[in-house]
Amino acid sequence: MVQHADEGTQPTRGRYWRLARRFAAASVVATAVSQVVFVAAYALGAAPAAATALAWLAGAVPNFALNRRTWGGGGRDALRGELLRYGLISVGTAVLAALATSGAEHLARSAFADQEAAQVVVVWAAFVGTYAVMFVVKFFLIDRLVFTARRPPRPR
């Protein structure tokens, strides 16, 4: 376990709840942005993988900034490493979502051949489902791997 500058050897339960609440809030912002971009891009004719990539990019930028603020990034010196580690986790999630949405599109076209709205809903559900599962996984990956060089807490 990585020891952080603002904690002892064991993380406190309160710290995790505070991080989880702020992580959830950042995820709500990123999800709202990415959902709008995904549905708009896919409904306008983008392939599922392209719509996913656009949605990922639209949500990843505010998500990184908000999560870095939540965890207290390690300052300018740590930024490059944090971006790289966050990017790998985020791109991995986007690849999983692209695979899920492409598979869902194939199934939706078979099941709803002449119902474009139903196809959009099925593909969108795959997109949301992937990110819902990854929400939990990403929380722990971000906590343990991304923001490891914590700044000391600011006095309040």
Side-chain angles (χ1 to χ4, degrees):
M1 178 170 97
V2 176
Q3 184 173 347
H4 307 294
D6 63 339
E7 63 185 34
T9 57
Q10 292 296 316
T12 64
R13 192 172 276 158
R15 174 182 172 270
Y16 275 121
W17 282 115
R18 180 185 59 81
L19 288 174
R21 283 191 308 271
R22 293 184 73 182
F23 178 72
S27 294
V28 166
V29 170
T31 298
V33 170
S34 67
Q35 293 300 306
V36 169
V37 171
F38 179 82
V39 170
Y42 185 70
L44 292 172
T52 298
L54 289 171
W56 167 79
L57 183 60
V61 172
N63 200 5
F64 175 79
L66 292 169
N67 281 319
R68 189 166 199 261
R69 183 178 170 111
T70 293
W71 266 271
R76 288 185 67 128
D77 294 340
L79 180 60
R80 185 181 317 189
E82 291 168 354
L83 275 169
L84 177 64
R85 292 185 301 270
Y86 175 84
L88 289 172
I89 293 166
S90 192
V91 167
T93 301
V95 168
L96 290 173
L99 292 170
T101 56
S102 294
E105 181 185 52
H106 178 73
L107 292 173
R109 286 188 178 189
S110 297
F112 305 105
D114 295 330
Q115 300 172 9
E116 191 172 316
Q119 292 173 15
V120 170
V121 169
V122 169
V123 175
W124 173 73
F127 181 79
V128 171
T130 301
Y131 278 92
V133 170
M134 288 306 295
F135 173 83
V136 175
V137 174
K138 284 175 66 174
F139 175 82
F140 290 104
L141 291 175
I142 287 171
D143 184 60
R144 297 295 174 201
L145 300 176
V146 177
F147 300 113
T148 58
R150 308 295 191 330
R151 289 178 279 190
R154 288 180 263 168
R156 294 186 187 221

